[in-house]
mmCIF file of all heavy atoms in Angstrom:
data_model
loop_
_atom_site.group_PDB
_atom_site.id
_atom_site.type_symbol
_atom_site.label_atom_id
_atom_site.label_comp_id
_atom_site.label_asym_id
_atom_site.label_seq_id
_atom_site.Cartn_x
_atom_site.Cartn_y
_atom_site.Cartn_z
ATOM 1 N N PRO T 1 46.247 -134.921 165.290
ATOM 2 C CA PRO T 1 45.799 -136.127 164.589
ATOM 3 C C PRO T 1 44.362 -136.489 164.949
ATOM 4 O O PRO T 1 43.867 -136.124 166.043
ATOM 5 C CB PRO T 1 46.786 -137.181 165.101
ATOM 6 C CG PRO T 1 47.285 -136.666 166.406
ATOM 7 C CD PRO T 1 47.319 -135.174 166.252
ATOM 8 N N ASN T 2 43.715 -137.183 164.066
ATOM 9 C CA ASN T 2 42.360 -137.683 164.355
ATOM 10 C C ASN T 2 42.368 -138.510 165.647
ATOM 11 O O ASN T 2 43.355 -139.194 165.918
ATOM 12 C CB ASN T 2 41.885 -138.527 163.168
ATOM 13 C CG ASN T 2 40.429 -138.898 163.275
ATOM 14 O OD1 ASN T 2 40.043 -139.755 164.057
ATOM 15 N ND2 ASN T 2 39.621 -138.225 162.468
ATOM 16 N N PRO T 3 41.305 -138.413 166.450
ATOM 17 C CA PRO T 3 41.281 -139.159 167.725
ATOM 18 C C PRO T 3 41.622 -140.622 167.622
ATOM 19 O O PRO T 3 42.116 -141.228 168.578
ATOM 20 C CB PRO T 3 39.843 -138.964 168.196
ATOM 21 C CG PRO T 3 39.455 -137.629 167.627
ATOM 22 C CD PRO T 3 40.118 -137.556 166.263
ATOM 23 N N ARG T 4 41.346 -141.268 166.475
ATOM 24 C CA ARG T 4 41.654 -142.700 166.342
ATOM 25 C C ARG T 4 43.167 -142.977 166.358
ATOM 26 O O ARG T 4 43.593 -144.138 166.507
ATOM 27 C CB ARG T 4 41.020 -143.287 165.099
ATOM 28 C CG ARG T 4 41.540 -142.798 163.790
ATOM 29 C CD ARG T 4 40.788 -143.463 162.626
ATOM 30 N NE ARG T 4 41.307 -143.089 161.348
ATOM 31 C CZ ARG T 4 40.966 -141.998 160.660
ATOM 32 N NH1 ARG T 4 40.081 -141.166 161.182
ATOM 33 N NH2 ARG T 4 41.503 -141.730 159.495
ATOM 34 N N PHE T 5 43.992 -141.909 166.204
ATOM 35 C CA PHE T 5 45.444 -142.105 166.270
ATOM 36 C C PHE T 5 46.031 -141.645 167.612
ATOM 37 O O PHE T 5 47.235 -141.747 167.825
ATOM 38 C CB PHE T 5 46.114 -141.309 165.136
ATOM 39 C CG PHE T 5 45.857 -141.886 163.776
ATOM 40 C CD1 PHE T 5 44.829 -141.366 162.992
ATOM 41 C CD2 PHE T 5 46.581 -142.955 163.296
ATOM 42 C CE1 PHE T 5 44.562 -141.873 161.732
ATOM 43 C CE2 PHE T 5 46.320 -143.475 162.052
ATOM 44 C CZ PHE T 5 45.310 -142.961 161.263
ATOM 45 N N LYS T 6 45.165 -141.135 168.488
ATOM 46 C CA LYS T 6 45.666 -140.624 169.755
ATOM 47 C C LYS T 6 46.325 -141.726 170.573
ATOM 48 O O LYS T 6 45.731 -142.754 170.866
ATOM 49 C CB LYS T 6 44.523 -139.986 170.553
ATOM 50 C CG LYS T 6 44.979 -139.316 171.834
ATOM 51 C CD LYS T 6 43.844 -138.622 172.551
ATOM 52 C CE LYS T 6 44.308 -137.924 173.813
ATOM 53 N NZ LYS T 6 43.206 -137.252 174.548
ATOM 54 N N GLY T 7 47.567 -141.499 170.951
ATOM 55 C CA GLY T 7 48.308 -142.401 171.809
ATOM 56 C C GLY T 7 48.900 -143.617 171.123
ATOM 57 O O GLY T 7 49.499 -144.473 171.791
ATOM 58 N N VAL T 8 48.814 -143.741 169.806
ATOM 59 C CA VAL T 8 49.277 -144.948 169.125
ATOM 60 C C VAL T 8 50.798 -145.083 169.143
ATOM 61 O O VAL T 8 51.337 -146.201 169.001
ATOM 62 C CB VAL T 8 48.755 -145.045 167.669
ATOM 63 C CG1 VAL T 8 47.229 -145.144 167.668
ATOM 64 C CG2 VAL T 8 49.234 -143.888 166.831
ATOM 65 N N THR T 9 51.512 -143.967 169.294
ATOM 66 C CA THR T 9 52.967 -144.051 169.271
ATOM 67 C C THR T 9 53.613 -143.923 170.627
ATOM 68 O O THR T 9 54.789 -144.289 170.795
ATOM 69 C CB THR T 9 53.545 -142.957 168.353
ATOM 70 O OG1 THR T 9 53.268 -141.661 168.908
ATOM 71 C CG2 THR T 9 52.981 -143.037 166.931
ATOM 72 N N GLY T 10 52.896 -143.313 171.573
ATOM 73 C CA GLY T 10 53.511 -143.040 172.858
ATOM 74 C C GLY T 10 54.419 -141.832 172.843
ATOM 75 O O GLY T 10 55.061 -141.506 173.856
ATOM 76 N N LEU T 11 54.500 -141.154 171.710
ATOM 77 C CA LEU T 11 55.375 -139.994 171.568
ATOM 78 C C LEU T 11 54.619 -138.679 171.601
ATOM 79 O O LEU T 11 55.163 -137.630 171.246
ATOM 80 C CB LEU T 11 56.178 -140.104 170.253
ATOM 81 C CG LEU T 11 57.118 -141.285 170.154
ATOM 82 C CD1 LEU T 11 57.800 -141.302 168.766
ATOM 83 C CD2 LEU T 11 58.181 -141.246 171.227
ATOM 84 N N GLY T 12 53.351 -138.750 171.976
ATOM 85 C CA GLY T 12 52.551 -137.510 172.007
ATOM 86 C C GLY T 12 51.993 -137.197 170.617
ATOM 87 O O GLY T 12 52.156 -137.973 169.658
ATOM 88 N N PRO T 13 51.342 -136.026 170.488
ATOM 89 C CA PRO T 13 50.699 -135.655 169.229
ATOM 90 C C PRO T 13 51.655 -135.629 168.027
ATOM 91 O O PRO T 13 51.232 -135.919 166.910
ATOM 92 C CB PRO T 13 50.132 -134.281 169.526
ATOM 93 C CG PRO T 13 49.886 -134.272 171.006
ATOM 94 C CD PRO T 13 51.002 -135.085 171.585
ATOM 95 N N ARG T 14 52.910 -135.263 168.234
ATOM 96 C CA ARG T 14 53.825 -135.234 167.101
ATOM 97 C C ARG T 14 54.015 -136.635 166.526
ATOM 98 O O ARG T 14 53.918 -136.849 165.313
ATOM 99 C CB ARG T 14 55.187 -134.639 167.490
ATOM 100 C CG ARG T 14 56.109 -134.500 166.261
ATOM 101 C CD ARG T 14 57.466 -133.878 166.603
ATOM 102 N NE ARG T 14 58.198 -133.671 165.350
ATOM 103 C CZ ARG T 14 58.931 -134.576 164.748
ATOM 104 N NH1 ARG T 14 59.038 -135.803 165.304
ATOM 105 N NH2 ARG T 14 59.577 -134.314 163.620
ATOM 106 N N GLY T 15 54.297 -137.598 167.372
ATOM 107 C CA GLY T 15 54.465 -138.965 166.890
ATOM 108 C C GLY T 15 53.197 -139.501 166.290
ATOM 109 O O GLY T 15 53.199 -140.174 165.250
ATOM 110 N N ASP T 16 52.059 -139.210 166.939
ATOM 111 C CA ASP T 16 50.764 -139.679 166.443
ATOM 112 C C ASP T 16 50.428 -139.070 165.082
ATOM 113 O O ASP T 16 49.821 -139.717 164.222
ATOM 114 C CB ASP T 16 49.663 -139.360 167.453
ATOM 115 C CG ASP T 16 49.863 -140.076 168.774
ATOM 116 O OD1 ASP T 16 50.692 -141.015 168.853
ATOM 117 O OD2 ASP T 16 49.207 -139.697 169.755
ATOM 118 N N ALA T 17 50.824 -137.800 164.874
ATOM 119 C CA ALA T 17 50.589 -137.138 163.590
ATOM 120 C C ALA T 17 51.393 -137.818 162.476
ATOM 121 O O ALA T 17 50.940 -137.920 161.340
ATOM 122 C CB ALA T 17 50.940 -135.669 163.683
ATOM 123 N N ILE T 18 52.586 -138.257 162.798
ATOM 124 C CA ILE T 18 53.426 -138.975 161.822
ATOM 125 C C ILE T 18 52.796 -140.347 161.501
ATOM 126 O O ILE T 18 52.741 -140.771 160.334
ATOM 127 C CB ILE T 18 54.871 -139.114 162.317
ATOM 128 C CG1 ILE T 18 55.536 -137.743 162.420
ATOM 129 C CG2 ILE T 18 55.675 -140.041 161.387
ATOM 130 C CD1 ILE T 18 56.898 -137.753 163.064
ATOM 131 N N ALA T 19 52.291 -141.003 162.554
ATOM 132 C CA ALA T 19 51.583 -142.280 162.307
ATOM 133 C C ALA T 19 50.367 -142.097 161.420
ATOM 134 O O ALA T 19 50.056 -142.909 160.546
ATOM 135 C CB ALA T 19 51.187 -142.898 163.655
ATOM 136 N N GLU T 20 49.645 -140.977 161.656
ATOM 137 C CA GLU T 20 48.492 -140.664 160.814
ATOM 138 C C GLU T 20 48.898 -140.421 159.382
ATOM 139 O O GLU T 20 48.257 -140.892 158.435
ATOM 140 C CB GLU T 20 47.800 -139.406 161.390
ATOM 141 C CG GLU T 20 46.580 -138.956 160.581
ATOM 142 C CD GLU T 20 46.035 -137.642 161.105
ATOM 143 O OE1 GLU T 20 46.824 -136.672 161.205
ATOM 144 O OE2 GLU T 20 44.832 -137.580 161.397
ATOM 145 N N ALA T 21 49.982 -139.676 159.196
ATOM 146 C CA ALA T 21 50.483 -139.403 157.832
ATOM 147 C C ALA T 21 50.873 -140.694 157.138
ATOM 148 O O ALA T 21 50.632 -140.870 155.930
ATOM 149 C CB ALA T 21 51.671 -138.437 157.904
ATOM 150 N N ASP T 22 51.491 -141.589 157.895
ATOM 151 C CA ASP T 22 51.891 -142.878 157.300
ATOM 152 C C ASP T 22 50.675 -143.668 156.866
ATOM 153 O O ASP T 22 50.653 -144.294 155.790
ATOM 154 C CB ASP T 22 52.698 -143.679 158.330
ATOM 155 C CG ASP T 22 53.252 -144.951 157.738
ATOM 156 O OD1 ASP T 22 54.263 -144.894 157.035
ATOM 157 O OD2 ASP T 22 52.648 -146.032 157.981
ATOM 158 N N TRP T 23 49.613 -143.640 157.659
ATOM 159 C CA TRP T 23 48.364 -144.309 157.320
ATOM 160 C C TRP T 23 47.749 -143.698 156.053
ATOM 161 O O TRP T 23 47.303 -144.418 155.158
ATOM 162 C CB TRP T 23 47.386 -144.208 158.466
ATOM 163 C CG TRP T 23 46.030 -144.781 158.137
ATOM 164 C CD1 TRP T 23 45.635 -146.068 158.199
ATOM 165 C CD2 TRP T 23 44.871 -144.042 157.654
ATOM 166 N NE1 TRP T 23 44.303 -146.225 157.800
ATOM 167 C CE2 TRP T 23 43.836 -144.984 157.474
ATOM 168 C CE3 TRP T 23 44.630 -142.711 157.416
ATOM 169 C CZ2 TRP T 23 42.571 -144.597 157.007
ATOM 170 C CZ3 TRP T 23 43.379 -142.327 156.954
ATOM 171 C CH2 TRP T 23 42.361 -143.281 156.767
ATOM 172 N N CYS T 24 47.787 -142.370 155.962
ATOM 173 C CA CYS T 24 47.266 -141.680 154.769
ATOM 174 C C CYS T 24 48.012 -142.134 153.529
ATOM 175 O O CYS T 24 47.419 -142.374 152.465
ATOM 176 C CB CYS T 24 47.380 -140.173 154.928
ATOM 177 S SG CYS T 24 46.259 -139.420 156.151
ATOM 178 N N LEU T 25 49.336 -142.258 153.650
ATOM 179 C CA LEU T 25 50.143 -142.720 152.536
ATOM 180 C C LEU T 25 49.712 -144.121 152.105
ATOM 181 O O LEU T 25 49.577 -144.409 150.914
ATOM 182 C CB LEU T 25 51.620 -142.704 152.927
ATOM 183 C CG LEU T 25 52.597 -143.288 151.867
ATOM 184 C CD1 LEU T 25 52.530 -142.533 150.570
ATOM 185 C CD2 LEU T 25 54.028 -143.254 152.428
ATOM 186 N N GLY T 26 49.463 -144.978 153.081
ATOM 187 C CA GLY T 26 49.011 -146.357 152.777
ATOM 188 C C GLY T 26 47.684 -146.366 152.073
ATOM 189 O O GLY T 26 47.487 -147.128 151.118
ATOM 190 N N GLU T 27 46.762 -145.503 152.487
ATOM 191 C CA GLU T 27 45.449 -145.428 151.833
ATOM 192 C C GLU T 27 45.580 -144.872 150.412
ATOM 193 O O GLU T 27 44.850 -145.331 149.504
ATOM 194 C CB GLU T 27 44.519 -144.534 152.668
ATOM 195 C CG GLU T 27 44.140 -145.104 154.018
ATOM 196 C CD GLU T 27 43.477 -146.468 153.926
ATOM 197 O OE1 GLU T 27 42.408 -146.557 153.283
ATOM 198 O OE2 GLU T 27 44.055 -147.422 154.464
ATOM 199 N N LEU T 28 46.475 -143.960 150.217
ATOM 200 C CA LEU T 28 46.708 -143.434 148.883
ATOM 201 C C LEU T 28 47.244 -144.521 147.936
ATOM 202 O O LEU T 28 46.834 -144.632 146.782
ATOM 203 C CB LEU T 28 47.689 -142.251 148.917
ATOM 204 C CG LEU T 28 47.740 -141.428 147.621
ATOM 205 C CD1 LEU T 28 46.531 -140.492 147.538
ATOM 206 C CD2 LEU T 28 49.023 -140.607 147.541
ATOM 207 N N LEU T 29 48.170 -145.333 148.456
ATOM 208 C CA LEU T 29 48.707 -146.449 147.678
ATOM 209 C C LEU T 29 47.602 -147.429 147.308
ATOM 210 O O LEU T 29 47.552 -147.959 146.197
ATOM 211 C CB LEU T 29 49.827 -147.130 148.465
ATOM 212 C CG LEU T 29 51.134 -146.363 148.645
ATOM 213 C CD1 LEU T 29 52.047 -147.110 149.594
ATOM 214 C CD2 LEU T 29 51.793 -146.090 147.326
ATOM 215 N N LYS T 30 46.692 -147.655 148.244
ATOM 216 C CA LYS T 30 45.569 -148.576 147.981
ATOM 217 C C LYS T 30 44.694 -148.036 146.855
ATOM 218 O O LYS T 30 44.218 -148.794 145.992
ATOM 219 C CB LYS T 30 44.711 -148.751 149.229
ATOM 220 C CG LYS T 30 45.342 -149.581 150.333
ATOM 221 C CD LYS T 30 44.450 -149.661 151.554
ATOM 222 C CE LYS T 30 45.091 -150.409 152.712
ATOM 223 N NZ LYS T 30 44.205 -150.432 153.920
ATOM 224 N N THR T 31 44.505 -146.730 146.829
ATOM 225 C CA THR T 31 43.709 -146.116 145.763
ATOM 226 C C THR T 31 44.387 -146.273 144.415
ATOM 227 O O THR T 31 43.729 -146.603 143.411
ATOM 228 C CB THR T 31 43.475 -144.622 146.060
ATOM 229 O OG1 THR T 31 42.752 -144.488 147.284
ATOM 230 C CG2 THR T 31 42.683 -143.952 144.940
ATOM 231 N N LEU T 32 45.692 -146.056 144.365
ATOM 232 C CA LEU T 32 46.434 -146.247 143.140
ATOM 233 C C LEU T 32 46.348 -147.682 142.628
ATOM 234 O O LEU T 32 46.205 -147.937 141.427
ATOM 235 C CB LEU T 32 47.897 -145.823 143.302
ATOM 236 C CG LEU T 32 48.160 -144.346 143.544
ATOM 237 C CD1 LEU T 32 49.581 -144.105 144.017
ATOM 238 C CD2 LEU T 32 47.895 -143.557 142.263
ATOM 239 N N GLU T 33 46.396 -148.622 143.582
ATOM 240 C CA GLU T 33 46.264 -150.031 143.220
ATOM 241 C C GLU T 33 44.850 -150.334 142.722
ATOM 242 O O GLU T 33 44.656 -151.007 141.695
ATOM 243 C CB GLU T 33 46.613 -150.910 144.437
ATOM 244 C CG GLU T 33 48.095 -150.917 144.768
ATOM 245 C CD GLU T 33 48.395 -151.711 146.050
ATOM 246 O OE1 GLU T 33 47.688 -151.527 147.047
ATOM 247 O OE2 GLU T 33 49.329 -152.522 146.002
ATOM 248 N N LYS T 34 43.881 -149.892 143.458
ATOM 249 C CA LYS T 34 42.459 -150.153 143.126
ATOM 250 C C LYS T 34 42.133 -149.585 141.750
ATOM 251 O O LYS T 34 41.390 -150.240 140.965
ATOM 252 C CB LYS T 34 41.561 -149.488 144.171
ATOM 253 C CG LYS T 34 40.070 -149.631 143.865
ATOM 254 C CD LYS T 34 39.225 -148.861 144.889
ATOM 255 C CE LYS T 34 37.754 -148.883 144.528
ATOM 256 N NZ LYS T 34 36.951 -148.088 145.496
ATOM 257 N N GLU T 35 42.648 -148.433 141.404
ATOM 258 C CA GLU T 35 42.361 -147.805 140.127
ATOM 259 C C GLU T 35 43.249 -148.355 138.990
ATOM 260 O O GLU T 35 43.133 -147.905 137.849
ATOM 261 C CB GLU T 35 42.508 -146.281 140.217
ATOM 262 C CG GLU T 35 41.598 -145.625 141.234
ATOM 263 C CD GLU T 35 40.128 -145.815 140.924
ATOM 264 O OE1 GLU T 35 39.797 -146.236 139.787
ATOM 265 O OE2 GLU T 35 39.272 -145.559 141.807
#
């Protein structure tokens, strides 16, 4: 995961990668709303 997600879950890189994916999903939803 990008360094800004490092340690956000306490579950190591696997958990942080899932948190990153969730954030990406949120940003995609924002784009659909914006457009």
Side-chain angles (χ1 to χ4, degrees):
N2 190 284
R4 66 181 183 275
F5 290 97
K6 185 177 181 180
V8 296
T9 65
L11 297 177
R14 184 179 186 276
D16 296 346
I18 294 173
E20 178 186 54
D22 186 79
W23 175 83
C24 290
L25 175 59
E27 294 302 299
L28 193 79
L29 291 173
K30 289 178 184 177
T31 298
L32 292 168
E33 288 176 313
K34 177 184 175 183
E35 300 299 346

